[in-house]
Amino acid sequence: MVTVDAQTPECRYFVADLCRSCALIETPYAVQLRDKDHACQAMLGTHGPAAEAWLPPVAGGVTEFRNRAKLAVGGEVGAVTLGILDLSREANGRGIDLTDCLIHQPGLQRAIPRIAEFLNSTKLAPYSVPNRKGELKYAHLTEAPSGDLMVRFVVRSSGALDRIRALMPELREQLPQATVISVNLLPEHKAVLEGEHEELLYGSSLAMDLGSVSLHLQPQSFFQTNTKVAQSLYAQAAEWTAQLNPASLWDLYCGVGGFALFCADAGDESGMRDAVGIEVSEAAIRSATRSASDASIPVRFQAGDATAFALESSPESAPELVIVNPPRRGIGAELADWLEGSATRSVIYSSCNPKSLAQDLARMPSLRAVKARLFDMFPHTGHAEVMVLLERVASE
């Protein structure tokens, strides 16, 4: 990929029709951002705030903005490709190498060729989807602001795990910035990126230093793919929370605790707000608890289903503010109905799917959208992250 100017990068993979993941890459970025903002406003319609209450969108960048690389392993033994697989009938699962893809942060770009060299040295066969044979499925890399890396290999069997374990000294020498290394086992033939079992080979967690808070990512932890935009997202939530000044808050679908940790500090003589974070992943909760301890922020994190946690609580005892950051499906009818009937004064809803967001907002008419903002986590694509501030409409 060669940058022609600040707004229109020219991707050789796109031009050659090898990869179309960045479907909008030929559209000037300023136009992308404007069109995406208008599309989100239209999708929320009357359930969103008035046009003048939409804050200016947060740009995600043109190149070198992605902190995570999810690379399918293709090619042959000793000559792997890292990128995507062409699963058309004619290509028969051919690997398409995307080593020079510049949406990845520079540290990832430098690491990817070394990962390929290491996988070649294992003499393990890439997994063939059409033939259902082979071992190497994916390589996942995440880069922290410090330049440290988390490296994860997804393989088919324990034999491949043992082979990678035996070559760990070579990998650490080739890639000293890798502070966390693990292997994920995915024996099934499934269209998924990882399995349930993860074997940690080196390190424990990757520290994502975001200024006042450092979040600790374990191998299967979720974190936004664009670090700078994630910082803006947390900062906006913290700003809205400060304006609301709630005494208590819940962070539902809290992941590794970002929203709760950034919003718990009252910023005045009252100290910290009563804050609780709920997340189904126990590993994420352990990470969030560690971050809270490191920063001396007394948020109570506990593992559990966000909807079940709310439904088991009395609507009258709801906190003054609820922050939700659900997966693409949204919070769903049960939680939306509970929030609608609760005593919660305000909701901050961060969504990666404006369509499900609009559906959820429609179920909460007593919570009026007063502000919204687009955060462009995924430049050159139609995906959008939107955060909305909802406030309770006073009953007449």
Side-chain angles (χ1 to χ4, degrees), residues 136-301:
L136 302 172
K137 292 189 172 184
Y138 297 98
H140 299 325
L141 287 74
T142 303
E143 184 183 18
S146 64
D148 289 345
L149 295 177
M150 178 187 294
V151 178
R152 303 173 60 219
F153 300 105
V154 181
V155 301
R156 187 183 186 191
S157 73
S158 57
L161 163 62
D162 293 340
R163 180 61 178 160
I164 292 173
R165 191 199 307 273
L167 293 173
M168 276 291 294
E170 288 86 342
L171 177 58
R172 290 188 57 197
E173 183 177 352
Q174 285 180 279
L175 209 62
Q177 63 270 47
T179 57
V180 180
I181 302 171
S182 67
V183 173
N184 180 278
L185 291 179
L186 179 58
E188 302 88 355
H189 182 78
K190 289 183 178 179
V192 294
L193 294 175
E194 60 185 45
E196 294 183 3
H197 180 72
E198 191 95 15
E199 191 84 11
L200 191 62
L201 302 184
Y202 179 72
S204 59
S205 63
L206 184 70
M208 302 293 289
D209 187 356
L210 304 180
S212 60
V213 173
S214 185
L215 302 179
H216 296 277
L217 307 187
Q218 294 186 21
Q220 292 182 296
S221 297
F222 169 79
F223 183 72
Q224 305 286 3
T225 61
N226 191 315
T227 304
K228 290 183 179 179
V229 177
Q231 288 178 295
S232 297
L233 187 74
Y234 293 141
Q236 184 66 76
E239 180 182 321
W240 286 347
T241 301
Q243 293 168 357
L244 296 168
N245 196 25
S248 56
L249 68 86
W250 289 351
D251 179 3
L252 303 182
Y253 310 94
C254 71
V256 292
F259 282 111
L261 293 168
F262 274 89
C263 296
D265 189 349
D268 56 28
E269 65 278 358
S270 61
M272 296 289 175
R273 300 182 174 90
D274 180 24
V276 176
I278 305 297
E279 167 60 43
V280 70
S281 167
E282 294 184 359
I285 289 298
R286 289 194 294 271
S287 296
T289 301
R290 177 181 173 184
S291 296
S293 176
D294 289 349
S296 299
I297 301 175
V299 179
R300 304 189 307 280
F301 289 105

Side-chain angles (χ1 to χ4, degrees), residues 331-349:
I331 62 174
E334 285 188 300
L335 182 52
D337 291 346
W338 188 90
L339 288 169
E340 168 67 13
S342 74
T344 295
R345 295 186 319 181
S346 308
V347 173
I348 295 176
Y349 192 138

Side-chain angles (χ1 to χ4, degrees), residues 37-38 41-42 45-46 48-56 369-373:
D37 193 41
H38 290 172
Q41 292 188 38
T46 57
E52 60 271 18
W54 280 79
L55 299 175
V370 295
K371 292 180 183 178
R373 194 169 200 178

